[in-house]
Amino acid sequence: MSTAVLTPTDPHKEHAEHEEDVPQFVLLDPALLVRDECNARETDTEPDDKLIASVKELGVEEPISVRPRPDGTYSVFKGWRRAQAAQAANATAGQDSRPARPIRAYVRENLVGRDGWTRFLSLVENDHREGMSERDTLRAQELALIDMSEVDQRRATRALRVSRNAVRQAKAAQSLNDATLRRTAAAGMDLEQTAQLAEVEPVRGAENRLMRALQRDQDAGGGGRGHWDQEVALLRAEQADAQTRAKAEEELKEANIPLLGQVPSYEKDSSHPLAELTTGLGNPLTEDNHRNCPGHSARLDDEHRPVWHCADPAAYGHKVRPQPKKPRTEADEHKAEERRRIIACNRAWKAAAGPRQQFITRLVRTKALPDAARVFAQDILLTLPGFYSSWADKRETETVARFLGVKEPDKADLAETAVHLPKARLVNAVFAHAAAACEYDIREPKAWSSLTAPQARYLLLLESLGQADNGSYQLSEVEQQALTSHRPAAA
């Protein structure tokens, strides 16, 4: 079967992915078609019986898109299922007394050697059709963007509405299983959010927590993701905490030091911390002089530091210090619970700094700084509160540089930045300055426990600015808790 070139009746209606590229429209023998290696669909690639039956009766209605190959065949990057249906229909045409039909195709000679853009075009085609798996979509996005030139990559990320980090995000998201990917797609997670879920998935309950945060943002309307950002920050902090513990456990294992487990309350714990023990002669036991004891072991405290123990002091000749160990009381239980709460709040406070400072960075880089932020910054500079003076004395400029978007903020020369700062950006720089001082003032993990009035004013300002910006920033739970006594009394 020969090929025939067709001239579109109305070229203005014909679609071309590049405005400067008008594809050649031809009739091709389906036997000349093979699957393009850059076809984005990698699962469910076979035509079903319904499609084959339709092609037998009507032929292929929608043109496919192909690239010419050196051997005279054509590789299909759009419409491979239709192409296979045409091949199947022609294979039985004679015995069914049907004509063997050619297939209409756009021949894209300009895509030869442009694998990245070809894969992207195939992705767009399949993504707009039902049935392409979420994993195929992610894989195609990753491979397409990797293979593109910078110019094509910018165009593709705009078309896909993804960030410039899409390659890394698509690769990370593929670590999720198919069921999770289907749930994320159904919930409306974008590529960045799916990648963030993949990052923190090892934390127990991470998916459910992020789904709830996503729903809260969606319920708020406006397209903000303040609740999501706070939950991601907290999950990352918890993950880092778990990794710290895992590292501590691994170090004990490498040193051949047993890690003692928790003993149920109904069982007697034969181990004792070394601080409660002495040698047979009454001398203190330490890590160094106890190291060679067969009972040398450890437990990890709440901050994952080793507390040295002897697994069985009586068996190894140690004595318990004379002072009797007081039985654990209900007050002790409350004290331990409060200790755990403080550790959790400290961790959450540190985690909240990430989303908060990201929001400040976005504010500083906006063309029109909100009036409330401008007034706040002017007040700080004119009244010179004590915390601002303390921060200024430290001459810490890295945070200001980061808020201003200076490259390598740890090495920034703000005197040079000042020379090149446009007049229109002065108020933004002033706010960056004031915000950096405020961030320094609340840097301590325990700041949540006794928030001062100036600190509360700063957080309340950010809360109102985030709400005004369609909920793009939300305070974390620990920040909300710290602000309870500082909020105006309800009327």
Side-chain angles (χ1 to χ4, degrees):
M1 182 181 295
S2 61
T3 64
V5 178
L6 299 182
T7 302
T9 57
D10 186 356
H12 297 291
K13 293 182 180 180
E14 295 299 322
H15 173 69
E17 290 81 358
H18 292 239
E19 292 181 359
E20 68 274 15
D21 301 328
V22 178
Q24 190 179 27
F25 190 21
V26 304
L27 290 176
L28 293 178
D29 183 346
L32 297 175
L33 304 177
V34 297
R35 182 181 180 276
D36 196 299
E37 61 183 6
C38 292
N39 194 305
R41 186 187 287 269
E42 296 183 4
T43 56
D44 297 326
T45 60
E46 301 295 323
D48 55 27
D49 292 340
K50 184 177 180 181
L51 177 58
I52 293 175
S54 172
V55 171
K56 284 181 178 180
E57 291 297 324
L58 305 173
V60 176
E61 292 294 314
E62 295 294 326
I64 63 174
S65 293
V66 302
R67 295 193 291 179
R69 292 160 51 95
D71 62 0
T73 60
Y74 297 84
S75 59
V76 183
F77 64 91
K78 287 186 184 181
W80 176 230
R81 294 176 73 248
R82 282 169 280 156
Q84 292 176 93
Q87 291 171 342
N90 282 358
T92 60
Q95 66 189 55
D96 294 343
S97 300
R98 289 183 288 100
R101 295 188 178 96
I103 189 170
R104 294 186 295 172
Y106 291 113
V107 178
R108 297 298 303 271
E109 295 183 5
N110 63 308
L111 293 180
V112 174
R114 297 177 66 191
D115 289 353
W117 193 257
T118 301
R119 192 183 300 275
F120 166 68
L121 296 177
S122 178
L123 166 64
V124 172
E125 156 95 353
N126 284 288
D127 196 38
H128 292 170
R129 296 177 180 271
E130 294 184 3
M132 184 168 173
S133 74
E134 290 79 9
R135 187 170 304 282
D136 277 358
T137 300
L138 292 169
R139 179 66 172 163
Q141 286 176 340
E142 177 197 356
L143 295 179
L145 293 170
I146 286 176
D147 288 342
M148 285 184 191
S149 67
E150 289 187 10
V151 173
D152 284 347
Q153 193 174 90
R154 284 195 295 270
R155 297 175 66 190
T157 53
R158 287 197 300 270
L160 293 172
R161 295 184 179 180
V162 296
S163 74
R164 293 186 179 183
N165 296 321
V167 172
R168 176 180 57 79
Q169 293 166 354
K171 185 173 184 178
Q174 291 174 68
S175 67
L176 298 171
N177 62 41
D178 289 343
T180 303
L181 287 174
R182 286 193 293 271
R183 289 194 295 271
T184 62
M189 286 190 195
D190 60 25
L191 178 59
E192 180 181 16
Q193 290 172 321
T194 306
Q196 289 173 337
L197 169 58
E199 175 191 348
V200 299
E201 189 190 26
V203 180
R204 172 176 286 186
E207 181 183 341
N208 288 337
R209 287 167 60 180
L210 286 176
M211 286 291 191
R212 288 195 294 270
L214 178 65
Q215 187 63 55
R216 291 178 69 188
D217 284 329
Q218 291 173 345
D219 290 345
R225 47 185 292 167
H227 295 296
W228 173 278
D229 289 340
Q230 290 291 0
E231 199 63 48
V232 168
L234 190 55
L235 285 166
R236 283 173 173 162
E238 293 174 17
Q239 186 174 43
D241 186 67
Q243 290 169 347
T244 299
R245 182 175 183 86
K247 181 180 178 182
E249 292 177 354
E250 183 61 27
E251 288 173 348
L252 290 174
K253 183 178 179 181
E254 290 176 355
N256 294 317
I257 299 174
L259 176 64
L260 299 175
Q262 295 299 318
V263 178
S265 58
Y266 54 83
E267 293 184 9
K268 182 179 179 181
D269 185 1
S270 61
S271 69
H272 280 271
L274 297 189
E276 298 176 2
L277 302 174
T278 68
T279 67
L281 298 178
N283 294 316
L285 279 175
T286 65
E287 178 193 359
D288 289 336
N289 64 15
H290 187 259
R291 189 179 299 275
N292 294 324
C293 174
H296 189 57
S297 53
R299 280 197 171 95
L300 296 177
D301 66 13
D302 290 332
E303 296 181 3
H304 315 310
R305 297 170 301 191
V307 177
W308 306 110
H309 281 58
C310 183
D312 195 343
Y316 300 121
H318 308 318
K319 293 182 178 180
V320 178
R321 288 182 180 275
Q323 62 267 28
K325 184 178 180 181
K326 295 180 180 180
R328 193 173 182 87
T329 65
E330 186 176 346
D332 293 328
E333 295 291 346
H334 287 314
K335 187 176 180 180
E337 179 61 30
E338 178 63 13
R339 170 67 177 164
R340 288 190 290 270
R341 187 184 75 85
I342 290 173
I343 290 174
C345 287
N346 288 350
R347 182 172 59 231
W349 187 262
K350 290 171 64 178
R356 189 174 62 242
Q357 293 182 13
Q358 289 171 5
F359 178 56
I360 294 166
T361 300
R362 293 200 301 273
L363 284 174
V364 170
R365 298 181 190 181
T366 56
K367 291 183 178 180
L369 187 73
D371 279 345
R374 175 183 58 79
V375 171
F376 175 84
Q378 290 172 177
D379 181 86
I380 295 294
L381 290 185
L382 291 175
T383 61
L384 295 177
F387 73 87
Y388 180 80
S389 302
S390 298
W391 171 78
D393 288 342
K394 298 290 183 182
R395 302 186 66 82
E396 191 278 318
T397 59
E398 181 180 342
T399 305
V400 179
R402 189 169 68 252
F403 289 162
L404 291 172
V406 177
K407 293 182 179 179
E408 298 185 0
D410 56 324
K411 302 176 183 177
D413 180 358
L414 290 190
E416 181 180 351
T417 302
V419 172
H420 299 288
L421 186 70
K423 292 180 181 179
R425 302 287 294 170
L426 177 59
V427 67
N428 300 64
V430 171
F431 177 69
H433 217 256
C438 292
E439 287 295 313
Y440 183 82
D441 192 40
I442 60 174
R443 71 194 183 282
E444 295 297 336
K446 290 185 178 180
W448 61 271
S449 62
S450 56
L451 210 61
T452 66
Q455 292 169 342
R457 180 190 174 202
Y458 173 62
L459 293 180
L460 289 169
L461 168 73
L462 297 181
E463 179 183 49
S464 65
L465 292 173
Q467 291 172 347
D469 190 35
N470 297 318
S472 65
Y473 172 72
Q474 301 282 350
L475 292 179
S476 65
E477 182 181 2
V478 70
E479 290 169 318
Q480 295 274 15
Q481 174 184 304
L483 282 169
T484 301
S485 62
H486 295 274
R487 292 189 182 278

